[in-house]
Amino acid sequence: MDPQTLTELLDVTVLDRLDRIEDLPADELARSAALRKESYSAEVTAALLTQARLRKDAETKLGPFAAEMLFTRDGLAQATRLPVAAHHARRLLGEGGDGSAAMTIADLGCGIGADAFAFAGMGAEVTAVDADEVTAAIASYNLRHLSNARVEHARAEDIDVSGFDALWFDPARRQIGRGTKQGSTARITDPEEFSPALSWVIDQALAAKAAGVKLGPALDHGLVPDEAEAQWVSHGGEVVEVCLYFGAARQRPGRSALIMGERTLLVHEDNLPDEDEPGIGELGEYLLEPDGAIVRAGLVTALCPPLQARRVHPKIAYLTTDVAPTGPAAAGVTTYQISEVLPAKIPSLRKELVARGIGSVVIKKRGADIVPDQVRRQLKLPKGEQATLVFTRVGERHVVLLTQPVDSANEETNP
Ligand SMILES: C[S@@+](CC[C@H](N)C(=O)[O-])C[C@H]1O[C@@H](n2cnc3c(N)ncnc32)[C@H](O)[C@@H]1O
């Protein structure tokens, strides 16, 4: 969005029209015609339609607050989900943080303000900064009800951060217009091309009383400073970030994985067993797929003792066990009951699936050199039951496991 469109959008009557846009027909063409009839310019009409769409899209990340916020497409894509932002706030403010001590936090690259919203909502005095003029203005709008939050249009590197109790960084890791589609974004892989650059961010974080740095979950473990706690987070089954915590915000040095959503679990490096589990490569009754945050954190084997499980192969992140997972650690895996081991060659595999009345397959793979969509096309199955096929290695063998997902909720109630 350009600054001129934003200025027009911020007009009280236009904002009021945006808040009442659901009164108009849902069909975009009809909606657009109705707005034009009400004398809105083509530009303002387009901006209203875009904001209405973005507010809907934002509901999954920001819940009911989305209906009162403004966005850019890029700002929404990069915004932290609100429950995860609340977790960041708890870490920076301290577990018991109710904000009564009014900690001061600088959010240095605040985007549309999702993290700042959580910090201020939990009582901190927030200075939110963004280098992009339109994004900073939008953050200002989104934080308007929080008198303890203020927004500056500035570069993080130009801010004197020495007086703050805590610093928060969520460097931009996408380059607008670098993707394949027009206006799409491409991920930046070189941490020195993040904005601000990762080395600058880490220097500030190391010098701060407390700091948090949100990064992409694919972060090379070698880039995690010894002084930091690195926590990989998944929310609703999706790995969303790794966050580095420094100073007072660091609870336990080392790596951890936090699973958030309907099921919750915290797995820490300290939970890793001292020795390899017995029976690696011996297939059991169940296949366990560890949550992506646990895999990214390199903590898969921490699940072996509590789930009485073993790896299918020393280098593959699938576990196998003879007992259906129960207890807290069950939240760390998706469970599949293994019915059979099938041949990996497509013609024989197809024959076996057809003989069992299977017509639709979900394909999973680890340690197997296949392209799931290609395999599905090659199988050309007639209509039939659904099953999950897992292409992997068990010990030295390449195998295809015919499985059915186990509803973990049922498992919990029927031990
Ligand atoms: C990943 S987004 C932040 C998202 C935010 N945490 C949220 O939850 O909404 C990064 C933001 O940093 C801003 N930015 C990039 N370089 C910056 C710099 N040098 N100083 C300040 N802001 C910067 C970008 O404009 C972008 O809005």
Side-chain angles (χ1 to χ4, degrees):
M1 193 189 325
D2 61 88
Q4 177 58 28
T5 310
L6 180 65
T7 308
E8 287 177 318
L9 195 58
L10 287 172
D11 181 279
V12 183
T13 57
V14 177
L15 285 172
D16 176 59
R17 195 68 196 91
L18 177 60
D19 290 342
R20 292 183 297 103
I21 205 153
E22 295 305 324
D23 304 348
L24 296 174
D27 174 70
E28 288 231 342
L29 276 180
R31 195 172 264 195
S32 167
L35 288 168
R36 295 289 279 136
K37 219 168 163 187
E38 289 177 26
S39 307
Y40 290 104
S41 68
E43 291 74 23
V44 171
T45 298
L48 282 169
L49 295 179
T50 303
Q51 288 305 317
R53 240 179 279 132
L54 290 173
R55 280 184 171 182
K56 278 247 166 312
D57 293 352
E59 275 170 20
T60 42
K61 276 193 171 180
L62 300 160
F65 297 106
E68 298 201 334
M69 296 171 84
L70 294 178
F71 301 97
T72 58
R73 170 70 55 203
D74 198 41
L76 175 58
Q78 298 180 83
T80 302
R81 300 169 187 211
L82 210 49
V84 182
H87 170 68
H88 297 153
R90 279 191 295 274
R91 291 298 304 262
L92 259 65
L93 291 167
E95 280 300 325
D98 60 359
S100 51
M103 269 179 74
T104 55
I105 298 187
D107 181 346
L108 298 153
C110 65
I112 55 96
D115 278 307
F117 193 82
F119 300 145
M122 289 175 81
E125 286 289 333
V126 181
T127 300
V129 172
D130 204 284
D132 180 69
E133 185 187 0
V134 167
T135 306
I138 286 180
S140 211
Y141 179 80
N142 291 341
L143 296 166
R144 68 197 178 283
H145 297 307
L146 294 156
S147 58
N148 48 333
R150 62 186 200 92
V151 179
E152 274 184 48
H153 168 216
R155 278 166 41 88
E157 297 89 329
D158 297 334
I159 301 288
D160 175 7
V161 294
S162 58
F164 289 96
D165 295 321
L167 304 182
W168 175 251
F169 301 91
D170 182 359
R173 301 177 299 279
R174 297 178 191 217
Q175 192 106 42
I176 302 166
R178 276 241 208 123
T180 46
K181 288 192 217 136
Q182 199 195 1
S184 62
T185 59
R187 277 180 214 288
I188 298 170
T189 46
D190 177 359
E192 287 316 295
E193 280 194 35
F194 294 173
S195 187
L198 186 60
S199 56
W200 179 85
V201 167
I202 299 285
D203 283 349
Q204 308 308 308
L206 284 169
K209 288 185 221 161
V213 181
K214 177 184 155 188
L215 296 164
L219 184 78
D220 179 348
H221 287 206
L223 291 172
V224 177
D226 291 344
E227 297 85 344
E229 169 186 350
Q231 184 167 78
W232 277 261
V233 178
S234 71
H235 180 260
E238 222 180 301
V239 195
V240 288
E241 65 180 36
V242 56
C243 198
L244 309 183
Y245 292 105
F246 297 80
R250 185 186 79 161
Q251 284 171 352
R252 251 164 126 183
R255 288 170 284 135
S256 64
L258 175 68
I259 296 168
M260 298 179 72
E262 268 176 41
R263 308 193 294 172
T264 56
L265 178 69
L266 177 66
V267 180
H268 193 274
E269 200 179 325
D270 294 348
N271 303 120
L272 286 172
D274 294 332
E275 289 175 8
D276 278 352
E277 67 282 10
I280 296 175
E282 286 169 25
L283 203 57
E285 194 180 331
Y286 298 94
L287 182 85
L288 310 179
E289 181 181 27
D291 182 278
I294 297 175
V295 177
R296 289 285 193 188
L299 299 176
V300 168
T301 54
L303 295 172
C304 292
L307 297 176
Q308 301 173 54
R310 53 199 179 263
R311 280 165 285 174
V312 296
H313 180 278
K315 293 211 166 96
I316 293 177
Y318 281 136
L319 300 176
T320 182
T321 177
D322 301 308
V323 285
T326 53
V333 292
T334 306
T335 305
Y336 298 88
Q337 184 144 30
I338 303 169
S339 7
E340 278 175 87
V341 180
L342 297 179
K345 289 233 159 33
I346 298 290
S348 331
L349 178 60
R350 181 177 194 279
K351 205 167 136 207
E352 299 293 338
L353 292 172
V354 171
R356 286 162 183 78
I358 291 163
S360 139
V361 283
V362 173
I363 298 179
K364 299 193 152 279
K365 64 152 199 157
R366 267 186 193 159
D369 192 14
I370 58 140
V371 180
D373 275 347
Q374 220 169 29
V375 170
R376 202 174 292 106
R377 275 199 302 276
Q378 287 170 338
L379 282 171
K380 276 199 214 107
L381 292 169
K383 278 200 168 52
E385 298 296 311
Q386 195 180 60
T388 303
L389 293 182
V390 183
F391 287 70
T392 190
R393 284 172 70 181
V394 172
E396 291 313 308
R397 282 185 305 151
H398 284 272
V399 294
V400 180
L401 307 176
L402 177 63
T403 72
Q404 285 295 344
V406 174
D407 183 347
S408 53
N410 288 344
E411 282 298 315
E412 289 291 299
T413 48
N414 302 316

